[in-house]
């Protein structure tokens, strides 16, 4: 080990000890970041802790956002983040972005931001400090990138929604700013001032702009209006509203795929005679084409969701088959079982009560706490060396509105005593073995399937693509998906995942989009009378296993 590395380990140890001595913890990512500040770590940490105390924050963890809010860190500014982004894009151009099995060797060149040597350094210093919690986490090689549970702090009323949408707009604008053409984006208010629809203000507009009045505006979609031959779209960018029109078939199709309230960038030409703004181009945020991360060794994660324990339709026998399989040594799948280290459960663990009218007719257990006991009993049969990540769905205990906090401890004491289970909020992002998994139960998929032509319950991964394209997990506001008036919009997909895992729809579907693997992990509940009337045909009793070394998915069927 070099002298530099030793120094660095020393510093990291000191930072950890200092933070712990103050009764706090520090997220490994935050540790990496703070180490980049040359000399004033302790001052920065003191200030962050003081600020946390002032704000009466519940979380006792220092995270990267805390540090970014406080200092300008050398070598870790936006430009640097963009470089990583660029690197990923350019690598992607040379290889396929579908499932990587056949192009594996090409992946070796890509430096994984999460896997750089700094992690070894942290591990070393943490071990030296014998901080059991961290050792446990690092040995298992997982990190929680973000957990909405830590940030939930619902504000009330209209005030809350105003700041929620402002936050959505600002985060979306930050994502847009990675595009070259976004430099031309002008505020709607300014465009209106410059070009007053009827007369041009030649003092404030360049000659070129006056002769060729093409502008770009970016805002959240307010309204989409299909006329006979044309399609009107209205956007809001916090400074004003702008309506633009198109007769072009391709653009019309593009508009039909946009969700109301998602961010969009419109290039349009002003025709003052006709008093019309004609759309020339339309861009949604989307995700860049990229090559996903992969684990160094062959490790598997199981993805499941929607058990609905307590429902008459919970397929307990099939789920027991699954548990036996996990615990046993089935000869055909021995190779996989021995390599399973993680299980992600994407919500609707129990069926709950009062979730929809007359639900009690469909319940075997009519008390959600006893359903939860039953569920804990079942989860305790998962082998203890497998790490379980559990998020809530719309049937679970706790708040219903998104983002949802983790299943509250007060309803599930025993769940919290199972050491291999980590309960997280919905949505959340974890990093296991270098793979970023965005877990989201999928409540908004109902709204997306209902409002975007061509989508159906039989192919939920198609609807999941809309989430990635709009860079938002619940783009449409005001339909069936309840959204809480949080100050910050935590549903914006700021960081592009390697895997997007959802459930809710009860139909297994696997696909990929620009390098991200999309998994809807089905259910363990057979068709309910309601689903029958809706024409939803679930595909229950199947688990998805992902080989994290190449993101290859496998369906494992436990129906007999
Ligand atoms: O939802 C399972 C699927 O069935 C999901 O796509 C919604 C749909 N569903 C279920 N119950 C209802 C009601 N009452 N109204 C509309 N749509 C429904 P899950 O969350 O598992 O119940
Ligand atoms: Fe469900
Ligand atoms: Zn659900």
């Amino acid at each position: 080990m070099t002298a530099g590395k030793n120094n660095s380990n020393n510093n990291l140890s000191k930072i950890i000890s200092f933070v712990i001595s103050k009764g706090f913890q520090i997220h490994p990512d935050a540790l990496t970041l703070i180490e980049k500040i040359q000399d004033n770590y302790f001052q920065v940490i003191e200030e962050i802790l003081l600020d946390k105390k002032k704000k009466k924050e519940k979380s006792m963890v220092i995270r990267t956002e805390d540090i970014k809010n406080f200092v300008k860190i050398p070598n870790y500014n936006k430009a640097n983040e963009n470089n990583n982004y660029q690197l990923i894009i350019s690598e992607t151009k040379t290889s396929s972005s579908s499932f990587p099995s056949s192009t594996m060797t090409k992946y070796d060149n890509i430096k994984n931001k999460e896997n750089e040597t700094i992690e070894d350094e942290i591990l070393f210093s943490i071990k030296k400090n014998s901080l059991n919690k961290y050792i446990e986490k690092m040995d298992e090689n997982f990190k929680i990138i973000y957990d909405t549970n830590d940030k939930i702090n619902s504000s009330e009323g209209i005030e809350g929604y105003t700041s929620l949408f402002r936050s959505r707009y600002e985060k979306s604008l930050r994502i847009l700013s990675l595009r070259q053409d976004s430099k031309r984006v002008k505020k709607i208010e300014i465009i209106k001032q410059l070009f007053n629809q009827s007369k041009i203000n030649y003092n404030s507009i360049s000659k070129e702009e006056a002769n060729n009045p093409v502008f770009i505006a970016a805002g959240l979609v307010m309204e989409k209006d299909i006329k006979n031959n044309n399609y009107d779209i209205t956007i809001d960018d916090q400074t004003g509203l702008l309506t633009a029109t198109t007769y072009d078939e391709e653009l019309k199709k593009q508009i039909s795929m946009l969700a109301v309230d998602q961010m969009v960038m419109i290039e349009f030409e002003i025709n003052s005679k006709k008093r019309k703004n004609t759309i020339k181009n339309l861009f949604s945020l989307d995700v860049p084409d990229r090559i996903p991360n992969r684990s160094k060794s062959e490790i598997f994660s199981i993805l499941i969701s929607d058990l609905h324990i307590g429902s008459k339709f919970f397929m307990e026998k099939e789920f027991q088959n699954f548990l036996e399989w996990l615990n046993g040594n089935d000869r055909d799948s021995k190779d996989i079982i021995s390599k399973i280290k993680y299980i992600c459960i994407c919500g609707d663990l129990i069926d709950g009560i009062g979730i929809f009218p007359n639900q009690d007719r469909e319940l075997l257990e009519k008390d959600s706490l006893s359903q939860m006991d039953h569920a804990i009993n079942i989860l305790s049969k998962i082998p203890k060396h497998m790490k379980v990540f559990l998020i809530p769905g719309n049937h679970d205990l706790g708040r219903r509105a998104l983002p949802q906090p983790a299943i509250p401890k007060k309803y599930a004491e025993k769940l919290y005593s199972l050491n291999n289970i980590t309960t997280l909020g919905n949505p959340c992002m974890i990093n296991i073995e270098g793979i970023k998994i965005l877990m989201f139960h999928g409540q908004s998929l109902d709204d997306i399937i209902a409002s975007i032509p061509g989508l159906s319950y039989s192919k939920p991964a198609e609807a999941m693509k809309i989430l990635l394209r709009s860079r938002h997990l619940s783009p449409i506001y005001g339909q069936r998906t309840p959204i809480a008036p949080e100050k910050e919009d935590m549903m914006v997909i700021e960081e592009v995942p390697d895997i997007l895992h959802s459930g809710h729809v009860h139909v297994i579907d696997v696909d990929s989009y620009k390098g991200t693997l999309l998994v809807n992990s089905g259910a363990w509940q057979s068709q309910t009378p309601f689903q029958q009337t809706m024409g939803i045909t679930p595909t229950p009793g199947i688990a998805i296993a992902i080989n994290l070394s190449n993101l290859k998915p496998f369906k494992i069927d436990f129906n007999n």
Side-chain angles (χ1 to χ4, degrees):
M1 194 178 281
T2 64
K5 199 162 180 174
N6 260 329
N7 253 342
S8 163
N9 285 327
N10 259 335
N11 289 339
L12 291 166
S13 304
K14 279 185 199 152
I15 297 168
I16 295 171
S17 306
F18 183 70
V19 173
I20 299 281
S21 74
K22 300 278 177 184
F24 280 73
Q25 294 177 349
I26 182 163
H27 190 282
D29 283 351
L31 197 55
T32 314
L33 191 55
I34 201 153
E35 211 243 352
K36 296 203 161 82
I37 304 166
Q38 289 312 305
D39 43 30
N40 58 344
Y41 319 106
F42 298 115
Q43 192 193 331
V44 171
I45 291 173
E46 287 269 27
E47 281 176 24
I48 292 172
L49 297 185
L50 213 71
D51 188 55
K52 277 181 172 292
K53 279 181 192 152
K54 252 195 242 157
K55 288 185 187 151
K56 296 206 168 87
E57 275 191 30
K58 279 181 282 171
S59 167
M60 302 296 277
V61 182
I62 298 178
R63 294 176 183 276
T64 48
E65 303 89 83
D66 296 327
I67 297 169
K68 284 187 202 167
N69 286 343
F70 254 88
V71 282
K72 293 232 172 309
I73 294 146
N75 306 324
Y76 196 94
N77 50 28
K78 281 277 168 236
N80 201 22
E81 281 181 353
N82 289 354
N83 282 344
N84 280 314
Y85 192 82
Q86 290 298 336
L87 171 75
I88 294 169
I89 294 173
S90 59
E91 286 288 338
T92 320
K93 282 187 186 138
T94 59
S95 62
S96 136
S97 65
S98 58
F99 297 140
S101 54
S102 57
T103 53
M104 251 170 68
T105 49
K106 288 181 182 151
Y107 286 57
D108 294 333
N109 300 332
I110 297 208
K111 234 205 171 123
N112 177 356
K113 235 180 16 179
E114 318 290 329
N115 283 345
E116 282 170 355
T117 50
I118 191 81
E119 238 175 55
D120 305 333
E121 294 179 17
I122 296 171
L123 182 59
F124 176 76
S125 64
I126 286 167
K127 276 190 171 152
K128 252 178 38 176
N129 278 275
S130 59
L131 300 169
N132 292 333
K133 198 165 173 202
Y134 278 107
I135 290 174
E136 198 182 289
K137 283 196 171 179
M138 297 308 288
D139 280 349
E140 280 172 330
N141 212 356
F142 76 85
K143 287 189 277 189
I144 290 148
I145 299 180
Y146 68 80
D147 177 8
T148 42
N149 183 58
D150 296 344
K151 294 198 200 167
I152 287 172
N153 174 32
S154 188
S155 41
E156 290 298 319
I158 298 293
E159 179 47 31
Y161 284 107
T162 310
S163 74
L164 177 83
F165 278 95
R166 190 180 307 123
S167 161
R168 178 183 298 195
Y169 177 77
E170 277 162 9
K171 286 187 177 191
S172 303
L173 207 58
R174 231 172 287 146
I175 297 169
L176 258 186
S177 68
L178 295 169
R179 297 180 60 116
Q180 260 306 318
D181 37 14
S182 70
K183 307 228 168 13
R184 286 174 53 211
V185 170
K186 280 196 164 68
K187 295 282 179 209
I188 291 173
E189 188 184 32
I190 304 284
I191 297 173
K192 283 184 173 168
Q193 277 168 12
L194 289 177
F195 201 98
N196 201 333
Q197 296 282 349
S198 55
K199 55 177 190 296
I200 300 167
N201 180 353
Y202 284 101
N203 296 329
S204 46
I205 198 167
S206 74
K207 220 174 184 153
E208 196 192 330
E209 278 176 324
N211 293 333
N212 180 24
V214 173
F215 292 99
I216 297 185
L220 303 182
V221 177
M222 285 289 108
E223 210 178 326
K224 304 193 296 176
D225 192 7
I226 308 179
K227 302 269 171 60
N228 283 344
N229 295 315
N230 62 316
Y231 216 140
D232 282 357
I233 181 168
T234 304
I235 59 170
D236 179 350
D237 76 348
Q238 313 272 309
T239 72
L241 297 180
L242 179 118
T243 302
T245 300
T246 186
Y247 290 83
D248 178 86
E249 287 308 318
E250 192 46 46
L251 285 169
K252 275 155 72 175
K253 204 163 116 200
Q254 254 182 289
I255 296 176
S256 74
M257 297 297 281
L258 293 175
V260 172
D261 298 320
Q262 87 168 73
M263 181 79 161
V264 68
M265 186 159 84
I266 299 179
E267 186 182 26
F268 64 98
E269 190 166 1
I270 299 178
N271 184 327
S272 54
K273 274 190 204 135
K274 289 188 190 157
R275 295 186 145 263
K276 234 181 207 157
N277 303 318
T278 307
I279 304 171
K280 290 181 64 113
N281 271 305
L282 198 132
F283 315 92
S284 53
L285 302 188
D286 216 331
V287 293
D289 234 325
R290 51 195 279 289
I291 297 175
N293 295 305
R294 61 187 178 97
S295 63
K296 288 186 189 124
S297 51
E298 199 164 78
I299 292 167
F300 282 78
S301 178
I302 297 283
L303 273 47
I304 57 169
S305 60
D306 295 85
L307 279 67
H308 290 266
I309 293 168
S311 160
K312 281 181 187 165
F313 304 95
F314 168 48
M315 294 163 57
E316 181 141 22
K317 191 174 119 269
E318 288 75 5
F319 202 78
Q320 291 296 349
N321 289 345
F322 166 63
L323 289 172
E324 272 168 36
W325 178 80
L326 280 184
N327 279 287
N329 29 32
D330 180 287
R331 252 193 303 152
D332 294 338
S333 34
K334 207 168 177 177
D335 204 36
I336 292 188
I337 296 168
S338 63
K339 291 172 185 161
I340 299 171
K341 266 178 84 175
Y342 305 96
I343 303 203
C344 300
I345 307 179
C346 217
D348 284 358
L349 177 63
I350 60 169
D351 207 49
I353 52 159
I355 309 292
F356 54 82
N358 300 321
Q359 186 194 8
D360 48 345
R361 291 183 200 156
E362 298 179 12
L363 291 178
L364 205 60
E365 292 161 282
K366 295 191 197 301
D367 165 16
S368 51
L369 291 179
S370 66
Q371 293 176 5
M372 201 61 211
D373 270 351
H374 186 177
I376 294 166
N377 184 21
I378 285 177
L379 294 183
S380 70
K381 302 213 170 88
I382 293 174
K384 292 291 179 284
H385 66 276
M386 296 180 187
K387 177 87 209 161
V388 180
F389 297 99
L390 172 69
I391 67 164
N394 50 315
H395 284 255
D396 289 304
L397 291 160
R399 126 171 156 183
R400 288 281 286 280
L402 291 173
Q404 291 180 281
I407 296 169
K409 194 173 176 182
K410 63 178 174 189
Y411 302 128
E413 285 280 346
K414 274 188 257 162
L415 184 65
Y416 283 78
S417 66
L418 295 173
N419 286 332
N420 63 328
I421 298 184
T422 299
T423 56
L424 298 162
N426 172 36
C428 68
M429 189 184 259
I430 55 175
N431 177 324
I432 53 178
E433 310 289 333
I435 316 294
K436 290 182 207 166
I437 306 185
L438 176 52
M439 291 176 73
F440 168 52
H441 177 62
Q443 285 93 324
S444 62
L445 296 174
D446 288 328
D447 294 334
I448 289 174
I449 290 168
S451 63
I452 295 188
L455 297 183
S456 79
Y457 278 109
S458 61
K459 283 192 163 283
E462 289 299 323
M464 290 166 74
K465 287 180 192 171
I466 302 281
L467 302 182
L468 286 182
R469 275 217 285 267
S470 58
R471 296 288 288 258
H472 200 281
L473 291 169
S474 189
I476 310 172
Y477 175 75
Q479 292 193 11
R480 278 174 45 199
T481 310
I483 296 180
E486 294 288 338
K487 282 213 173 74
E488 180 188 338
D489 190 339
M490 293 166 236
M491 308 300 284
V492 176
I493 304 174
E494 292 179 273
E495 203 165 337
V496 183
D498 298 309
I499 301 177
L500 173 58
H501 177 200
S502 292
H504 186 61
V505 174
H506 294 205
V507 175
I508 286 269
D509 200 10
V510 180
D511 204 340
S512 77
Y513 180 69
K514 298 202 175 181
T516 297
L517 181 68
L518 307 168
V519 178
N520 197 296
S521 54
W524 298 83
Q525 185 189 38
S526 58
Q527 193 184 43
T528 64
F530 176 82
Q531 288 162 354
Q532 200 170 10
T533 60
M534 287 275 288
I536 300 174
T537 311
T539 56
I542 299 170
I544 299 281
I546 309 283
N547 180 344
L548 298 177
S549 73
N550 55 16
L551 295 200
K552 240 183 140 167
F554 298 84
K555 282 184 196 174
I556 306 159
D557 194 334
F558 294 94
N559 294 284
N560 300 316

